[in-house]
Amino acid sequence: ADQTVFPIRVTPGVNRGYQPALLRDGKLVAFTAASGPVIYRGDLFPEEFRGNSFVPEPSANLIKRNVHSENGGVVTALPAYTDSEFMASTDERFRPVNLFNGPDGALYVVDMYRGVIQHITYLTPWLRTQYIERGLERPLHQGRIWRIVPEKAARKPLDLPKTKPALLAELSHPNGWRRDHAQRLLVESGDPAVAAELVKLSKANPQSLARLHALWTLEGLQKLDASTALAALADTDAKVRATAVRLVEPFAVKDPAAARMLMGMVNDQSADVALQLLCSLGQLRSDEAVAAIAQLLARNLENPLARSAAISGLKGRELELLENLVASPAAGANSPGRTALLGQLARCVIEERKPQRIAELFNRGWNGAWTAAAREDVLNGIAAMVAGKPPKNMIQLEAEPALVDPKESPTAAASSARAQKIATLFTWPGKIETVKAAPKAPPLTPSQQEFVAAGKVLYTAICAACHLPNGIGQEGLAPPLAASEWVTGSPDRLSRIVLHGLSGPIEVLGKTYTMDMPGLGPALSDEQIAQILSYIRRDWGHEASIVETAAVTKVREATKDRGASWTADELLRLQ
């Protein structure tokens, strides 16, 4: 949660370094370029370093060390030092970009050693001025590797084992690199003769990490049998038991006896085991497995990881889990986790777009044993799907769904407004559409199709890393483009955003995003910008007009003197 960094030199060479919120006393305040982190798994540093994370921040010329703790399956991290860092440099060209554990237990740092690390596509005018005026683009080809060891650490010659018995013994080594190395060589050997020794190791070795490596080595050799995997379900170490759940999963899908043993793990009190069970039980596709998931969730409802794990493996069984949770007295009433999960499960049913399942969802809500609170959670969850403009592709139902309590006056303000919102997701025989459909753009000509196809290639290379290939965006990084009112709205506003960048906050589909997008005008031609904009206006169900190259050229000329990125308020004021 703490993203603060403490550089030991001024760091003006960052995008938008003029912004007070970005720099304090000329130094970067928080992470902007976390890259190549590593968990220390060596045996050379003192014991308190084991399991710590080290995270490079090349923009601030430093490496942060975090100390981890785990509670209820949730890992959190706190900085190891107050107002300082594990490693920092006064050299502006020190750019740590990747970290590795070494075979000797040392920590290795890949230092890019360059004044400018941003790709030309993402350089803001501020940073471009910085590197030109201060010559930051030179020197090149000075990259290097640092080896970090404790003071007075003896440098021992590396004697890595090569024989099969030595590699098996190496699975118990305190250095994680060496354990990984041994496991890889054993798997790559493809030698089934070591399987018997690995089975013994998985059951009898006193070190839990050795037992875990033995199980995965057997799996890699395709020599893991059901009896060995099932035996590991009773391991004394929770991490090994959680691994065993994952390894038993393919056997349980085919073998009812293995499935029963897997479902018998629901009373295990380990959060690690519970999380893996929630992922694995959904693969069994049975009513008993759904009931077991509901039992697990009853004591893990407030853990968002547990809720996500359950949903991730359910596909097509969300309605059954919802029904189990509503009927379960152990699942609590009106807790925040239960409210969130019921809403999420209901949305999954809607997103299946299967009319019979959707009708069943609404019918169970009013005709079954659901409480009023459960119905509220479900309906509120579905209503949350309608943010901003109603969807264009409504789901065809056979009959009008029940969206308000039959005992309640349909004119009650809250339920009536919510019902109207949910109704925009569906259509049914006799429904009178109150939302006027947006005019459809004419079909694309062959040359326009090529233009849009070129835009898709550019989008994938430049934009998809943040906005994702399906245009749904990423929380905390980039707002969605799919169904966005900005994408299908004014093309001139879109051109300005791509040319000069956007500085948040911005509201998209009813949600506010605080983010910064760099301008791409210096890196892209007018035609390329027009192609990208035309693509996003015609994909993901959009039917907006394409953007002509001449229109982008006109906007570029009209805004040629602008150096700063746009704000949403400025764009909305434009006519």
Side-chain angles (χ1 to χ4, degrees):
D2 187 349
Q3 300 284 320
T4 310
V5 293
F6 298 95
I8 59 173
R9 62 155 289 119
V10 294
T11 55
V14 295
N15 273 331
R16 299 189 180 88
Y18 56 85
Q19 293 184 351
L22 196 65
L23 302 181
R24 184 186 301 120
D25 299 327
K27 298 178 181 179
L28 199 67
V29 172
F31 269 98
T32 68
S35 64
V38 74
I39 304 295
Y40 182 71
R41 300 167 63 226
D43 59 341
L44 190 61
F45 285 19
E47 181 61 28
E48 64 265 25
F49 284 78
R50 191 183 295 271
N52 290 185
S53 62
F54 293 82
V55 189
E57 173 35 293
S59 292
N61 321 113
L62 58 83
I63 298 172
K64 179 174 283 293
R65 173 190 167 204
N66 294 309
V67 179
H68 292 211
S69 60
E70 186 173 358
N71 182 25
V74 178
V75 178
T76 55
L78 291 173
Y81 313 106
T82 302
D83 301 341
S84 63
E85 302 294 355
F86 172 74
M87 184 177 186
S89 178
T90 57
D91 186 347
E92 189 170 14
R93 287 166 173 77
F94 173 65
R95 303 292 193 179
V97 292
N98 219 338
L99 304 178
F100 294 92
N101 288 286
D104 55 353
L107 185 66
Y108 287 80
V109 181
V110 179
D111 177 6
M112 188 176 176
Y113 203 78
R114 292 189 66 168
V116 178
I117 57 174
Q118 280 79 3
H119 189 282
I120 188 172
T121 299
Y122 305 108
L123 284 175
T124 59
W126 162 272
L127 185 53
R128 193 174 302 107
T129 300
Q130 286 280 321
Y131 86 75
I132 291 173
E133 290 183 351
R134 300 198 286 119
L136 293 179
E137 74 276 16
R138 302 291 178 185
L140 301 178
H141 313 301
Q142 301 294 311
R144 55 200 179 180
I145 296 173
W146 297 93
R147 175 178 176 267
I148 304 178
V149 299
E151 288 183 324
K152 300 179 181 178
R155 187 156 195 169
K156 302 175 183 177
L158 275 178
D159 184 19
L160 296 177
K162 296 179 177 62
T163 66
K164 297 292 168 51
L167 288 172
L168 287 166
E170 196 82 348
L171 295 179
S172 304
H173 200 284
N175 185 340
W177 186 96
R178 295 182 66 132
R179 294 195 306 274
D180 294 348
H181 179 72
Q183 178 178 323
R184 177 175 61 81
L185 291 181
L186 286 167
V187 170
E188 288 176 355
S189 74
D191 184 0
V194 298
E197 289 300 317
L198 286 167
V199 170
K200 292 179 185 176
L201 196 65
S202 74
K203 295 178 179 178
N205 193 285
Q207 295 185 26
S208 59
L209 279 171
R211 300 196 297 275
L212 186 145
H213 277 281
L215 288 168
W216 281 116
T217 307
L218 282 166
E219 191 271 347
L221 286 167
Q222 298 182 352
K223 291 298 177 182
L224 180 67
D225 56 39
S227 62
T228 302
L230 288 166
L233 291 176
D235 196 279
T236 55
D237 187 279
K239 304 284 186 187
V240 179
R241 294 199 303 277
T243 297
V245 170
R246 185 173 171 188
L247 293 172
V248 166
E249 183 183 309
F251 298 108
V253 169
K254 301 175 183 177
D255 180 6
R260 285 192 294 272
M261 287 191 67
L262 202 58
M263 287 186 282
M265 296 291 290
V266 295
N267 293 318
D268 192 303
Q269 296 303 302
S270 163
D272 294 294
V273 173
L275 201 62
Q276 185 57 54
L277 279 170
L278 288 167
C279 290
S280 297
L281 288 176
Q283 304 304 309
L284 302 187
R285 320 302 296 167
S286 68
D287 292 341
E288 293 81 7
V290 171
I293 292 172
Q295 185 179 341
L296 275 167
L297 283 170
R299 64 174 190 265
N300 290 283
L301 277 174
E302 303 312 310
N303 184 344
L305 294 179
R307 299 196 298 268
S308 293
I311 290 175
S312 73
L314 269 177
K315 189 172 170 60
R317 305 282 294 176
E318 296 91 349
L319 181 56
E320 286 71 19
L321 178 58
L322 195 158
E323 188 81 350
N324 263 274
L325 289 169
V326 170
S328 170
N334 304 327
S335 71
R338 183 176 187 269
T339 294
L341 183 57
L342 294 185
Q344 289 168 336
L345 291 169
R347 289 197 293 274
C348 288
V349 175
I350 303 300
E351 286 167 358
E352 274 191 292
R353 300 184 70 85
K354 293 182 179 179
Q356 288 185 333
R357 295 278 286 177
I358 294 169
E360 190 177 356
L361 169 68
F362 288 119
N363 290 338
R364 288 188 183 188
W366 303 118
N367 301 332
W370 289 19
T371 63
R375 286 196 295 269
E376 286 293 300
D377 292 341
V378 166
L379 293 175
N380 286 335
I382 298 172
M385 298 176 71
V386 185
K389 294 183 179 180
K392 293 179 180 178
N393 301 319
M394 291 186 287
I395 302 170
Q396 177 74 50
L397 301 180
E398 295 180 359
E400 180 178 357
L403 302 178
V404 295
D405 190 334
K407 301 174 184 176
E408 181 184 78
S409 169
T411 59
S415 61
S416 179
R418 182 179 60 197
Q420 291 176 18
K421 196 174 185 181
I422 296 174
T424 63
L425 295 167
F426 311 108
T427 186
W428 55 83
K431 181 185 179 185
I432 300 175
E433 301 297 349
T434 58
V435 180
K436 185 178 179 181
K440 292 186 177 182
L444 299 178
T445 65
S447 62
Q448 288 174 331
Q449 291 175 2
E450 293 179 5
F451 196 75
V452 169
K456 181 177 183 179
V457 174
L458 290 166
Y459 174 87
T460 302
I462 298 170
C463 316
C466 294
H467 293 284
L468 298 189
N470 57 7
I472 64 172
Q474 297 185 71
E475 190 69 30
L477 180 62
L481 301 178
S484 167
E485 64 270 34
W486 289 86
V487 171
T488 55
S490 164
D492 283 355
R493 287 185 184 133
L494 286 178
S495 296
R496 283 170 165 79
I497 291 173
V498 177
L499 284 167
H500 304 292
L502 177 72
S503 183
I506 182 173
E507 185 174 309
V508 182
L509 297 175
K511 185 173 182 179
T512 299
Y513 294 82
T514 301
M515 40 68 69
D516 282 301
M517 172 183 162
L520 307 180
L524 298 178
S525 68
D526 295 344
E527 181 181 50
Q528 289 173 320
I529 292 174
Q531 287 170 335
I532 292 173
L533 297 182
S534 296
Y535 165 67
I536 66 174
R537 287 164 63 84
R538 297 296 289 200
D539 200 6
W540 313 311
H542 299 163
E543 294 181 345
S545 60
I546 68 165
V547 178
E548 301 288 347
T549 301
V552 179
T553 302
K554 183 178 179 181
V555 173
R556 189 192 288 268
E557 179 63 25
T559 59
K560 62 183 179 182
D561 295 327
R562 187 176 182 91
S565 54
W566 296 91
T567 66
D569 287 342
E570 285 180 305
L571 292 169
L572 291 172
R573 285 197 299 267
L574 293 171
Q575 297 300 313

